[in-house]
Amino acid sequence: MSEGIQRRNLNRGFQQLRVWNDAVEMYVKTCVSVKGWSFEMKKVAGQHIASADSVHRNIAEGYARKSIAEYLQFLNFARGSLAETVSGLLAYRQAGQIIETTFEDLDSLAFKLENGLLRLVESLEQKRNQGDWDDSLIVRESNESYG
């Protein structure tokens, strides 16, 4: 697929979400951060990549489910995967496996993403509780709360 072509349908609207884009950036930077690890550390590196990968995947899957209850459930899964990713970062820094500048870059992105997910979940829960949810407005509603 050419980079200039973007296929669009309701299930792919997650690509417009800031939290999804930040999560993809987190995954890419995570892959780069473990690239030179020794053979002995490949399993740990793979687990770290998998937890970062799970964040954007859960955002997308929840979005595609279209019910607010399932969307919120998958956003909370994404938050859990992000917590796993951050826990790894903290441990790898303490073990000297990543340098401080790499840690700071990834940790600041994780902090932004954590706050974005928290605000998005809070906003969606409020809309659900007030009966203001409209499944056809999923992209607008989701980006509104993540400014």
Side-chain angles (χ1 to χ4, degrees), residues 51-97:
S51 68
D53 188 40
S54 184
V55 179
H56 69 87
R57 289 174 178 268
N58 278 302
I59 294 167
E61 185 169 354
Y63 179 95
R65 296 293 180 115
K66 296 299 187 208
S67 95
I68 192 162
E70 287 180 298
Y71 190 23
L72 286 166
Q73 180 181 21
F74 279 89
L75 289 174
N76 283 313
F77 292 157
R79 289 174 51 207
S81 294
L82 184 58
E84 180 183 356
T85 303
V86 170
S87 178
L89 287 174
L90 294 165
Y92 308 147
R93 178 177 75 172
Q94 191 169 339
Q97 293 167 295

Side-chain angles (χ1 to χ4, degrees), residues 68 71-72 75 118-130 133 138 141-142 145:
I68 192 162
Y71 190 23
L72 286 166
L75 289 174
L118 285 170
R119 284 194 304 265
L120 177 54
V121 167
E122 288 170 2
S123 174
L124 295 175
E125 285 175 339
Q126 183 178 31
K127 288 179 183 302
R128 178 198 58 201
N129 295 342
Q130 294 173 348
W133 179 254
I138 199 162
E141 299 283 355
S142 296
S145 62

Side-chain angles (χ1 to χ4, degrees), residues 15-35:
Q15 295 174 69
Q16 298 174 46
L17 300 175
R18 289 180 219 148
V19 290
W20 182 82
N21 283 286
D22 288 344
V24 170
E25 182 181 354
M26 183 76 181
Y27 167 75
V28 170
K29 287 183 174 188
T30 296
C31 289
V32 171
S33 74
V34 299
K35 205 168 214 160

